[in-house]
Amino acid sequence: MTGKNRKLVIAIDGPAGAGKSTIAARLARKLGYVNLESGAMYRALGLKAIQNDASFDDEGELLKLARSSRISLEPRVDGNRVLLDGANVSERIRERDVTEAASRVSVHPAVRAWMVDRQREMGKQGGVIMEGRDIGTVVFPNAEVKIFLEATPDVRVERRLKQRGADAGKAKTVAAELQQRDQRDRTRAASPLVPAPDAVILDSTHLTIDQVVQRAEELVRKKMGE
Ligand code: DC
C-alpha cells in the first residue's frame, strides 16, 4: 500500500503526564486509527498482583499471573476501556496503588517480554497509535512515525492535578510520586524510558493540546506522502 492508504504504526513515548494518552486519542480520531495505551496493560497486571497479594519483586510469580490473565484494551474516543479477566477495570487502574504497582511490575524483563509480544500482535496490522515508554525503541522499532513527548516536571504535575480534579494542596504529594515513577521508568535496566534515536522530540510544555496534535498530524501526513 502506498500514499494515503498506507496504514502506519505511530509510536508515542514519554514520561507520565506529558499528554500521551490525550494526544494519541485525538490523533487517532483524526486519522481513523486505533489508539492503544500500553501502560494500561502494565496497570492491569499491577492490579492483578494486588488482587492476588503477589510481591511486586517476584518476577516468576508476576509472569505466572500475566500468563493466566486476560488483559484487553478496547479503544474508545477518549481513551481505552480496559478489561481484566472480563471485568471493566478502566477506572480502578488509575488509582494510586495501581499506578505504583504498574511502575514496579514493569521493571521485570520477563514481564516486559510477555507484554511486548502481545503489543506487537495488537499493532501488527498498522493503522495504530501505541503510546507508552518503549514503543519506538522496543515494541515497534520500525514504526514509521516516532514521537517522544516531553514536558517539564512542573507542567506534568499541574496536568495530573487537573486530571484528577485535585487541589493545589496535593501538589507536593503528586510531584513526589511522579518524580519517583519517572526515576524508576528512566533508570530501570530493562527498556528504560529513552527517546529512540530516530524519534522526533516534541516538547509540549508551552503548547496547547491542539497545537501538539497539529504537529503530530503534520509528521504523520508527511510520512504518508512519502
Ligand atoms: O503510561 P502509564 O502511566 O499508564 O504507565 C504505567 C506504568 O507502566 C509506568 O510507570 C511505566 C510502565 N510502562 C512501561 O514500562 N512501558 C510501557 N510501554 C508503558 C508503561
Side-chain angles (χ1 to χ4, degrees):
M1 233 180 258
T2 54
K4 288 200 159 136
N5 297 323
R6 267 171 72 213
K7 291 255 175 203
L8 309 185
V9 173
I10 301 168
I12 303 183
D13 290 300
K20 300 185 298 293
S21 305
T22 310
I23 303 306
R26 294 261 190 117
L27 192 60
R29 237 181 298 164
K30 286 199 156 196
L31 300 170
Y33 275 30
V34 156
N35 63 310
L36 296 168
E37 298 173 15
S38 66
M41 297 174 69
Y42 290 95
R43 285 174 182 270
L45 180 62
L47 175 58
K48 182 98 174 190
I50 292 172
Q51 288 170 344
N52 286 271
D53 244 337
S55 161
F56 300 145
D57 299 323
D58 189 340
E59 183 168 17
E61 177 66 17
L62 292 169
L63 181 62
K64 234 198 263 169
L65 279 180
R67 284 183 174 149
S68 66
S69 303
R70 279 179 298 126
I71 298 173
S72 48
L73 305 182
E74 295 180 352
R76 299 283 156 108
V77 278
D78 52 353
N80 286 176
R81 183 164 179 263
V82 186
L83 301 180
L84 172 62
D85 300 325
N88 181 359
V89 295
S90 313
E91 308 265 314
R92 175 71 182 96
I93 59 165
R94 303 291 157 196
E95 288 174 24
R96 277 173 73 188
D97 59 338
V98 181
T99 300
E100 164 78 6
S103 172
R104 293 191 54 189
V105 302
S106 67
V107 304
H108 301 294
V111 168
R112 301 199 67 83
W114 186 88
M115 293 285 179
V116 168
D117 279 351
R118 254 127 224 97
Q119 289 156 1
R120 286 186 179 148
E121 190 59 35
M122 291 161 87
K124 70 177 183 196
Q125 310 278 359
V128 302
I129 303 174
M130 194 175 284
E131 55 101 341
R133 305 290 189 287
D134 61 341
I135 310 305
T137 49
V138 177
V139 182
F140 291 113
N142 297 323
E144 285 91 348
V145 179
K146 296 182 187 179
I147 295 169
F148 194 87
L149 200 57
E150 271 287 13
T152 59
D154 283 355
V155 165
R156 292 191 284 118
V157 169
E158 211 176 283
R159 288 176 186 165
R160 266 296 125 93
L161 286 170
K162 229 189 204 169
Q163 203 175 35
R164 290 192 197 162
D167 56 78
K170 295 252 168 63
K172 258 199 178 148
T173 318
V174 172
E177 286 171 355
L178 201 88
Q179 199 211 353
Q180 197 188 22
R181 198 147 71 95
D182 260 10
Q183 174 78 359
R184 195 182 291 127
D185 294 347
R186 288 183 200 266
T187 59
R188 67 180 175 223
S191 314
L193 171 66
V194 283
D198 52 348
V200 173
I201 313 271
L202 234 172
D203 187 341
S204 71
T205 305
H206 302 293
L207 300 178
T208 63
I209 292 171
D210 284 345
Q211 286 171 325
V212 179
V213 173
Q214 196 188 332
R215 297 224 182 152
E217 192 182 356
E218 282 164 13
L219 291 171
V220 177
R221 301 273 179 216
K222 190 166 158 245
K223 203 42 134 180
M224 284 173 169
E226 280 174 9

